[in-house]
Amino acid sequence: MPKGNLAGVTRVGDLLRVPSGPVDLPAIDTRATPGFDGDKADAEQAAPALGERLATLQEQLYAEGRAGGSRSVLLVLQGMDTSGKGGTVKHVVGHLDPNGVHVASFGEPTREELEHDFLWRIRKQLPRPGKLGAFDRSHYEDVVTVRVLGLVDADTCTRRYDAVNRFEEELVAGGTRIVKCFLHISRDEQRERLLARLDDPTKHWKYNPGDLDTRERWDDYMTAYGAALERCSSEIAPWHVVPADRKWYRNWAITNLLIEELDALGLRWPEADFDVASERARLLAMP
Ligand code: AMP
Ligand code: MG
């Protein structure tokens, strides 16, 4: 039995999707490798073929968009600092044709953004038809971080869960498939990664002293994330918890999740809207 991808047997999406009911994040193993029977070397060996498969599917989506199709895919990445949101964009999305990709990251809202509804800045960054969009943080900051920081009260937060669900329903109805991933790292792993940032001057730009304030409230974040994942995981746009202490597993899992979503679209190369044989004949007749 070859090591590696067991995804032919079970969809990775089914393995990582949060079940309905309360989501107890601390109870979910951050080092597990659901669906993958192997180690880092096996994952690295599997990566090129998986990357190629994803790139072909994405090219088909892009081709469909160019031919007038309206479908798109949106990858939503959430997780604590150092959980690998940026790394996922680099390693998973980075292998795709940049023409077909739209990446957006969401930091603290600007004054202008705060004057609008919390979905205003999100709507502006949605993937156009044919595109694969990737969000490094998202509208979920507005039901997690703002809740932990006490910037909105519980009632507002509850209304926002409903607003998020309606928003996502609208997106799906418009032809966007949403792939939501919570990158789940342990507190110990975060310590290691923050230390690595502090100990390497080339990584200082990624470090923010505020990261430690956030870390201090780890349990509050897990509770707030658990609530958001429970309230906003739906049949049409489910949440996935991706164990992310192992970067190679994280990349493998999210690549597979995207492949599964794109596969489900039943993409085909658009048919030529010209007569191929006569174009060929004309070309060959030219000097
Ligand atoms: P980074 O992803 O490291 O660039 O950090 C972005 C920071 O912006 C994080 O601390 C987020 O929690 C914060 N942030 C993002 N969106 C919001 C929001 N809507 N409200 C408050 N803080 C936010
Ligand atoms: Mg940061």
Side-chain angles (χ1 to χ4, degrees):
M1 170 91 179
K3 283 204 173 289
N5 195 348
L6 302 176
V9 187
T10 323
R11 289 175 82 252
V12 176
D14 292 337
L15 294 173
L16 299 183
R17 172 191 291 229
V18 297
S20 59
V23 179
D24 182 9
L25 286 170
I28 301 178
D29 185 359
T30 54
R31 293 185 65 80
T33 62
F36 193 79
D37 167 35
D39 58 15
K40 180 177 178 178
D42 297 316
E44 282 172 355
Q45 211 182 341
L50 276 179
E52 252 173 64
R53 171 115 190 82
L54 180 59
T56 301
L57 287 163
Q58 186 249 341
E59 193 180 345
Q60 283 184 312
L61 179 68
Y62 186 61
E64 182 185 88
R66 289 287 296 265
S70 61
R71 298 189 293 182
S72 61
V73 171
L74 174 61
L75 174 66
V76 172
L77 298 170
Q78 285 288 159
M80 299 296 281
D81 290 307
T82 76
S83 61
K85 302 179 293 295
T88 302
V89 169
K90 186 172 161 187
H91 292 284
V92 177
V93 182
H95 290 298
L96 305 176
D97 180 351
N99 279 311
V101 168
H102 179 74
V103 178
S105 56
F106 298 94
E108 274 182 45
T110 62
R111 206 186 305 159
E112 188 191 20
E113 286 169 349
L114 285 173
E115 281 168 10
H116 294 84
D117 174 78
F118 73 99
L119 293 170
W120 181 74
R121 65 174 183 166
I122 306 293
R123 289 185 189 277
K124 289 202 294 185
Q125 299 288 350
L126 290 171
R128 311 288 306 155
K131 295 248 179 172
L132 190 150
F135 282 180
D136 175 344
R137 303 189 190 268
S138 66
H139 42 300
Y140 283 92
E141 290 291 319
D142 293 278
V143 288
V144 173
T145 299
V146 296
R147 186 173 161 190
V148 173
L149 298 181
L151 301 174
V152 296
D153 59 26
D155 284 350
T156 307
C157 199
T158 301
R159 277 199 302 279
R160 283 188 175 185
Y161 292 141
D162 296 336
V164 164
N165 287 329
R166 281 195 306 274
F167 171 62
E168 293 184 357
E169 267 169 41
E170 184 193 310
L171 292 189
V172 171
T176 302
R177 275 186 102 92
I178 310 174
V179 185
K180 299 187 291 196
C181 294
F182 175 73
L183 308 186
H184 191 30
I185 54 167
S186 66
R187 212 193 284 232
D188 287 348
E189 181 67 20
Q190 192 197 48
R191 174 191 279 115
E192 294 310 308
R193 293 185 186 180
L194 287 173
L195 271 177
R197 285 184 182 181
L198 285 168
D199 293 345
D200 178 353
T202 71
K203 289 186 178 170
H204 286 172
W205 66 274
K206 293 190 197 182
Y207 186 86
N208 174 348
D211 294 352
L212 294 188
D213 300 321
T214 306
R215 176 177 169 80
E216 252 178 350
R217 312 203 57 178
W218 187 277
D219 294 337
D220 296 336
Y221 273 94
M222 289 307 113
T223 303
Y225 266 119
L229 268 56
E230 178 186 354
R231 293 295 304 270
C232 300
S233 192
S234 59
E235 207 44 54
I236 52 151
W239 264 105
H240 302 90
V241 175
V242 180
D245 277 2
R246 295 175 153 115
K247 294 174 183 172
W248 55 265
Y249 175 75
R250 174 201 77 204
N251 292 339
W252 177 88
I254 297 176
T255 304
N256 271 288
L257 279 173
L258 288 172
I259 288 174
E260 288 167 1
E261 287 301 316
L262 284 156
D263 253 338
L265 293 177
L267 293 160
R268 286 169 192 234
W269 295 111
E271 268 183 47
D273 57 0
F274 49 83
D275 182 345
V276 178
S278 69
E279 290 299 308
R280 202 166 184 282
R282 186 176 168 215
L283 172 62
L284 291 177
M286 281 179 172

